[in-house]
Amino acid sequence: MIFVEVAVVGGGVMEKAKENGRVLKVGLICGGPSAERGISLNSARSLLDHLQGDNLHVSCYYIDCNLNAYAISSAQVYSNTPADFDFKLESLAQSFQSLSDLAKHLATAVDIVFPVIHGKFGEDGGIQELLERYNVPFVGTGSKECGQAFDKHKASLELRKQGFLTVPSFLVQGYETNKSEVSEWFKKHQLDPDLGKVVVKPTRGGSSIGVRVAYGVDDSLLRANEIMSEGIDSKVLIEIFLEGGSEFTAIVLDVGSGSDCFPVVLLPTEVELQFRGANDVKENDAIFNYRRKYLPTQQVAYHTPPRFPLEVIENIRKGASLLFQQLCLQDFARIDGWFLPNPGSKLSLSSESDFGRTESGSIVFTDINLISGMEQTSFLFQQASKVGFSHTNILRSIIHHACLRFPNLASVSGISGQLPSRSKSLQLNDSFSHHEGARKVFIIFGGDTSERHVSLMSGTNVWLNLRAFHDLEVTPCLLSPVREFSTSADVGKKTDDVMNRTVWSLPYSLVLRHTTEEVLDACMEAIEPERAAITSNLRKKVMNELMQGLKNHNWFTEFDIADELPVKFSLRQWIKLAKEVQATVFIAVHGGIGEDGTLQSLLDAEGVPYSGPSALASKICMDKVATSVALKHLENSGVLTINKDVRQKADLFNKSINDTWHDLTSKLQCQTLCVKPAKDGCSTGVARLCCSKDLAIYVKALEDCLLRISPNSLSKVHGMIEMPNPPPEHLIFEPFIETDEIIVTTKFQNATGSGLRWKGNSRWVEITVGVIGKRGSMHSLSPSVTVKESGDILSLEEKFQGGTGINLTPPPLSIMSENALKRCKQRIELIANTLQLEGFSRIDAFVNVDSGEVLIIEVNTVPGMTPSTVLIHQALAEKPPLYPHQFFRKLLDLASERST
């Protein structure tokens, strides 16, 4: 039997023969018609990152919101958003005439399908029924069982039938629901008909989309009608609001053989909603909604395992396992629920045998997720890493288990391949004696600025991509905040203070969080003796259960994530250690000491190589005014700068708003201003101000230390404005540059077909472009035209979070000619070399589409490196394309070869 090792190199496939095995061809299907399409793309990117490689080849497919099917390249999966994605389909993808044609193709082109369509058509049995009809093997639960489990009403009825506690609910079908019936339901469950608090949710949906809180009968019906009128679902559930409860979620993994189901529940996660101080006002209707699930926010903390009594944790695991079996689920699932410390009198206690009642309280299972989200820090990976699985290991284990159901695939063995295993926590001893030939890499992220959560996303992405290289030993490290929140003046300027900053070397599982505060809390929790002992004992118990099933499968080789503790260093100790082990530091700290030259200077002093520009170049680029001054002499070369006026925060507080507005507009000779922090990035605190009233609202937000300005608070339509925390000491005001609106139209929104609408009156468009290379010879990647989905300023999410934002890479010829693009790239390279950039950076600018003249906005020396960042798109647009792991390896190699 011939074994074929498959590795992606520049988008091509390199094959070499080996004995004892064969390549497994996996079809990855993403997209779908639901509002969760953006999350589906995140999941697909993550699977591609961790599956493609040795002995397993992934082919990618996409289904749009009209259920049109396409074969797509792996490069396309890294498109930022569904809108971005759909716009490029006709030119880049191979379409199928029908879903049946897709299924027929899959039957011959792949061995097994891994569907990652969340919500409608993905979890309701739609895609499963199609694959079953054409005998295409697939991962996950069958169509009939999906249909029952996905419908929250049907699932609740089945759970109650099987003896589980359920949440009382009322099913709304259609707009003409009898109000008296709803009133009777309120009365039955002792709810005030005018103020009784309930949750209103679609019966068939996920990611908390459409879920809202209502008060009383009338409000409940109003919210239900909203869900139906918005097209989210035609059936809606009204449920009692579980006051005083704690939400949890648990991954279930089937490790059985043949027809024997052996579900093992991993360590559950407690979801804690938390609100920090008066600046983050607690909502009366706070729920674990879409924003809290998928965007960095300090309003949610996760605890794995939960802080519940041990008997409760064990009952959650037991109940989830029973539920998995009784609903005939397959391979894996995620089951959500609530723990109510005091048994709820309003729960449906159908009999004495109801499962879920414990001495400590009640356990209620509420949602069954057939295709759990699989973005990098999802619950699947958080919980799997706690019991010894890396991303690659858990995903391959799921696929291998699915293969057992299909006779022609059951013999596939030994295809786990070599698993990356070089990520580890640092020690102050000789722990580096292992893997002597491996090159040491320290990835540092976190810090104090408002960009710290994006920094965590960037650092996590770089770490996971570099782990794929077996000649590297990669260690993720958190630069801990100096304090909870202080003034920006406190952010270390004295060398001694900076060198005493705390750096945590992190074990695998502690990296997989959404915020730096959460990582820090997890570190403290991990080293707390009692908590550490509980976690360790539960880990061993779960791993023993897993091995009872996994030992029977020859495709499972080992758990590859060790049970390690975080290690605490001072920055001085950490840099000393980096020097001792000859490590290269990959800097992913956005803003603060990571981007103003401070960290670079400290590393220079010890001769430790690092990624990105030098200390001096970083310092200049961090200061937007200094950047303009450094480039002012390039005006005759087609590089222009924007006039700026810097104001102290205190002056804005103390002077008349009207006087300040008049002064600014007079000096800058404009009617509309753009305000931004002098030394922050990632769109935090950036806003368009059209009048003095807008300035007053913005200054008030600074004065009150608000974390965000709500959408459309200012006179011009805008999205959520994330505010810097702490508020900056200095702010920059500059003329707002008018560009013509670019509208992406697709056949899903416009029957006339897909295309661009751009008036082109001003002849200026906003671009962002990466530069890469050695000092003095920087290379411009292909610029991206930035298209804003709401308002005039790209939001933080639009820049960095998959599922939002549109980037057109390269700029369409209908907007910019090849000649203008060439001149633009030459000027971008001139800017990079004038500023003495090296390694990589990102330049934001306006460009004239006729002349290629560039009007500089800012230079980011530590740009966002998240999975959906524009730099990934631009690297993939290179010839040959640079895939994420190759791109980050190139940046690392440039760091090691940096100029001195």
Side-chain angles (χ1 to χ4, degrees):
M1 195 173 184
I2 297 298
F3 175 99
V4 180
E5 183 178 293
V6 180
V8 176
V9 178
V13 176
M14 178 180 67
E15 300 184 356
K16 64 180 182 180
K18 257 185 181 180
E19 297 182 355
N20 303 323
R22 72 177 180 91
V23 65
L24 184 70
K25 294 177 289 184
V26 178
L28 179 63
I29 303 183
C30 61
S34 83
E36 299 174 74
R37 289 162 67 224
I39 304 304
S40 175
L41 289 179
N42 288 349
S43 293
R45 276 189 281 268
S46 185
L47 262 69
L48 192 59
D49 281 343
H50 299 293
L51 285 177
Q52 185 79 286
D54 296 348
N55 55 36
L56 195 154
H57 179 66
V58 181
S59 300
C60 302
Y61 302 87
Y62 179 75
I63 294 176
D64 68 25
C65 65
N66 279 355
L67 297 183
N68 299 303
Y70 301 84
I72 59 176
S73 70
S74 51
Q76 277 181 271
V77 175
Y78 294 95
S79 289
N80 191 30
T81 69
D84 192 3
F85 206 95
D86 293 339
F87 176 73
K88 300 168 185 174
L89 280 174
E90 289 188 6
S91 60
L92 296 177
Q94 171 199 334
S95 63
F96 293 94
Q97 291 296 314
S98 65
L99 288 174
S100 295
D101 285 346
L102 167 66
K104 291 173 185 176
H105 165 84
L106 292 170
T108 58
V110 303
D111 294 314
I112 191 166
V113 165
F114 200 140
V116 289
I117 297 175
H118 304 306
K120 187 178 179 182
F121 196 68
E123 294 180 87
D124 61 1
I127 186 69
Q128 292 81 3
E129 191 276 331
L130 174 71
L131 297 172
E132 287 166 351
R133 197 187 324 150
Y134 289 90
N135 297 313
V136 179
F138 60 89
V139 173
T141 299
S143 61
K144 180 182 177 183
E145 293 77 15
C146 279
Q148 176 173 272
F150 183 66
D151 187 305
K152 293 179 176 64
H153 179 61
K154 290 180 181 178
S156 179
L157 294 177
E158 183 62 25
L159 260 64
R160 183 167 182 176
K161 179 181 174 183
Q162 296 289 349
F164 289 88
L165 295 181
T166 57
V167 182
S169 62
F170 183 92
L171 179 65
V172 177
Q173 298 187 80
Y175 298 97
E176 304 304 322
T177 299
N178 190 319
K179 180 179 175 180
S180 64
E181 292 179 4
V182 181
S183 298
E184 187 61 33
W185 180 84
F186 266 69
K187 181 179 178 181
K188 177 182 176 182
H189 296 288
Q190 302 170 23
L191 293 170
D192 186 305
D194 298 318
L195 298 172
K197 190 174 179 182
V198 294
V199 175
V200 185
K201 61 172 71 170
T203 61
R204 296 161 296 189
S207 296
S208 298
I209 291 171
V211 179
R212 50 205 74 182
V213 172
Y215 296 86
V217 174
D218 290 339
D219 193 31
S220 299
L221 289 172
L222 176 65
R223 302 301 175 193
N225 287 337
E226 285 175 356
I227 292 172
M228 291 185 286
S229 63
E230 290 170 14
I232 298 173
D233 201 348
S234 59
K235 296 195 300 180
V236 178
L237 279 183
I238 300 173
E239 294 180 345
I240 66 168
F241 191 102
L242 299 177
E243 296 278 9
S246 297
E247 194 167 357
F248 66 80
T249 186
I251 298 293
V252 188
L253 185 67
D254 188 1
V255 293
S257 301
S259 59
D260 296 329
C261 181
F262 186 4
V264 176
V265 181
L266 307 186
L267 293 184
T269 299
E270 173 193 355
V271 179
E272 179 194 11
L273 291 185
Q274 52 183 214
F275 301 87
R276 299 168 181 251
N279 303 328
D280 197 12
V281 180
K282 184 169 183 177
E283 303 166 33
N284 290 327
D285 60 353
I287 55 175
F288 188 40
N289 58 20
Y290 180 93
R291 182 179 181 85
R292 295 184 178 113
K293 278 187 177 180
Y294 298 112
L295 303 180
T297 171
Q298 293 179 68
Q299 294 181 350
V300 182
Y302 304 102
H303 305 277
T304 309
R307 301 164 301 171
F308 306 157
L310 285 174
E311 62 149 349
V312 172
I313 295 174
E314 281 309 303
N315 273 283
I316 288 172
R317 296 188 64 242
K318 179 182 176 183
S321 177
L322 283 171
L323 195 155
F324 189 95
Q325 294 177 73
Q326 292 173 0
L327 294 182
C328 300
L329 308 186
Q330 294 177 158
D331 300 328
F332 79 116
R334 197 189 85 229
I335 298 174
D336 302 339
W338 288 79
F339 167 58
L340 302 164
N342 298 310
S345 60
K346 295 176 182 177
L347 295 179
S348 297
L349 303 178
S350 57
S351 73
E352 289 300 314
S353 63
D354 277 332
F355 182 92
R357 290 183 294 188
T358 73
E359 291 184 4
S360 304
S362 300
I363 297 165
V364 187
F365 295 105
T366 56
D367 291 279
I368 299 148
N369 300 271
L370 288 314
I371 302 176
S372 177
M374 286 169 270
E375 61 277 7
Q376 287 181 343
T377 57
S378 67
F379 292 124
L380 173 66
F381 300 126
Q382 284 185 28
Q383 295 182 22
S385 65
K386 280 285 189 182
V387 293
F389 289 103
S390 66
H391 287 61
T392 298
N393 203 0
I394 188 66
L395 291 173
R396 290 194 172 210
S397 295
I398 290 168
I399 290 172
H400 291 313
H401 184 270
C403 287
L404 297 176
R405 288 197 301 280
F406 306 97
N408 61 322
L409 297 177
S411 62
V412 174
S413 62
I415 64 171
S416 290
Q418 184 182 4
L419 295 169
S421 58
R422 298 203 189 282
S423 178
K424 60 187 295 179
S425 284
L426 307 177
Q427 303 293 333
L428 284 170
N429 51 36
D430 61 351
S431 64
F432 287 95
S433 58
H434 304 292
H435 315 303
E436 285 297 336
R439 184 167 147 204
K440 312 299 187 296
V441 182
F442 293 178
I443 300 174
I444 187 166
F445 47 83
D448 293 271
T449 74
S450 55
E451 304 168 68
R452 60 193 178 278
H453 306 319
V454 175
S455 171
L456 173 59
M457 295 164 66
S458 293
T460 300
N461 190 42
V462 174
W463 163 63
L464 288 171
N465 273 280
L466 291 182
R467 285 190 83 248
F469 294 94
H470 297 287
D471 62 329
L472 300 179
E473 190 170 273
V474 190
T475 302
C477 305
L478 173 73
L479 176 64
S480 182
V482 171
R483 43 32 186 166
E484 178 77 11
F485 300 113
S486 69
T487 66
S488 56
D490 296 331
V491 180
K493 284 301 168 189
K494 294 181 180 178
T495 301
D496 286 344
D497 291 343
V498 172
M499 290 295 268
N500 288 324
R501 293 281 299 271
T502 298
V503 177
W504 289 88
S505 160
L506 302 173
Y508 195 111
S509 65
L510 295 195
V511 185
L512 306 179
R513 299 293 190 275
H514 293 88
T515 69
T516 53
E517 285 80 9
E518 196 186 330
V519 175
L520 182 58
D521 288 345
C523 287
M524 303 306 294
E525 194 173 87
I527 61 175
E528 195 278 314
E530 184 177 352
R531 179 69 174 166
I534 291 172
T535 302
S536 180
N537 289 336
L538 286 171
R539 170 189 165 95
K540 290 173 185 175
K541 179 179 175 63
V542 174
M543 291 175 75
N544 286 337
E545 291 176 19
L546 287 166
M547 280 308 299
Q548 289 180 44
L550 292 172
K551 67 183 180 183
N552 300 317
H553 304 302
N554 56 7
W555 43 259
F556 182 77
T557 55
E558 62 179 350
F559 293 110
D560 57 332
I561 301 300
D563 186 12
E564 298 177 315
L565 293 175
V567 181
K568 186 178 180 180
F569 301 88
S570 68
L571 183 56
R572 178 181 286 104
Q573 291 172 322
W574 183 80
I575 292 174
K576 180 182 177 183
L577 182 60
K579 181 178 181 179
E580 288 177 359
V581 301
Q582 298 181 321
T584 299
V585 172
F586 200 115
I587 300 175
V589 178
H590 302 313
I593 70 168
E595 207 163 352
D596 67 3
T598 301
L599 183 55
Q600 291 82 354
S601 180
L602 296 174
L603 292 168
D604 279 334
E606 294 297 328
V608 176
Y610 55 86
S611 61
S614 68
L616 179 59
S618 298
K619 183 178 182 180
I620 290 172
C621 293
M622 183 69 163
D623 186 328
K624 296 177 178 69
V625 175
T627 304
S628 291
V629 171
L631 298 174
K632 193 73 175 176
H633 67 286
L634 298 179
E635 187 171 346
N636 292 334
S637 299
V639 175
L640 311 176
T641 57
I642 303 173
N643 292 330
K644 294 174 172 58
D645 192 318
V646 181
R647 298 288 170 115
Q648 287 190 15
K649 177 181 65 177
D651 290 342
L652 294 174
F653 293 166
N654 297 327
K655 292 184 179 178
S656 159
I657 290 292
N658 287 334
D659 289 347
T660 301
W661 178 259
H662 178 74
D663 188 37
L664 285 167
T665 52
S666 298
K667 285 186 176 179
L668 295 172
Q669 298 183 339
C670 64
Q671 297 302 311
T672 306
L673 299 174
C674 180
V675 60
K676 61 183 71 171
K679 295 185 178 181
D680 264 55
C682 295
S683 294
T684 51
V686 182
R688 178 180 184 176
L689 308 179
C690 298
C691 58
S692 60
K693 183 180 177 182
D694 287 349
L695 177 61
I697 292 171
Y698 189 90
V699 170
K700 180 66 173 172
L702 291 174
E703 199 167 9
D704 293 345
C705 299
L706 295 185
L707 300 180
R708 56 191 65 87
I709 296 175
S710 299
N712 304 325
S713 298
L714 306 177
S715 57
K716 182 77 173 178
V717 174
H718 65 86
M720 182 78 74
I721 300 173
E722 300 286 346
M723 294 299 285
N725 193 17
E729 294 300 313
H730 294 86
L731 292 113
I732 290 175
F733 293 88
E734 55 191 33
F736 182 85
I737 306 299
E738 294 282 355
T739 58
D740 292 310
E741 185 177 39
I742 301 173
I743 300 174
V744 175
T745 62
T746 71
K747 58 188 173 184
F748 318 121
Q749 300 165 329
N750 187 323
T752 62
S754 63
L756 284 174
R757 292 217 315 265
W758 179 61
K759 293 181 181 178
N761 294 333
S762 77
R763 312 308 293 164
W764 290 88
V765 295
E766 186 178 347
I767 62 167
T768 186
V769 55
V771 289
I772 183 172
K774 296 184 178 181
R775 190 187 306 174
S777 57
M778 295 294 282
H779 165 68
S780 171
L781 300 177
S782 185
S784 299
V785 174
T786 52
V787 180
K788 297 166 279 288
E789 289 193 318
S790 59
D792 298 284
I793 306 295
L794 282 171
S795 70
L796 182 142
E797 290 97 334
E798 285 176 329
K799 278 191 174 182
F800 300 110
Q801 176 65 32
T804 50
I806 300 172
N807 291 291
L808 304 176
T809 310
L813 289 173
S814 59
I815 292 179
M816 188 185 302
S817 68
E818 287 187 10
N819 194 29
L821 178 60
K822 181 181 177 181
R823 291 198 296 269
C824 168
K825 292 174 72 172
Q826 289 171 345
R827 285 161 178 149
I828 290 294
E829 290 172 354
L830 175 61
I831 291 167
N833 292 327
T834 300
L835 293 171
Q836 294 196 304
L837 302 182
E838 60 185 300
F840 70 109
S841 294
R842 193 190 79 232
I843 297 174
D844 297 337
F846 298 102
V847 62
N848 185 289
V849 297
D850 300 317
S851 66
E853 286 181 300
V854 172
L855 179 61
I856 192 79
I857 299 173
E858 64 181 10
V859 179
N860 298 274
T861 55
V862 185
M865 293 168 276
T866 66
S868 56
T869 183
V870 71
L871 286 182
I872 300 296
H873 310 175
Q874 294 176 8
L876 287 164
E878 291 289 284
K879 294 186 174 23
L882 281 172
Y883 282 77
H885 66 283
Q886 298 167 319
F887 178 61
F888 292 123
R889 180 59 187 259
K890 184 174 181 66
L891 302 186
L892 178 67
D893 291 342
L894 284 168
S896 300
E897 302 161 4
R898 68 179 298 109
S899 305
T900 56

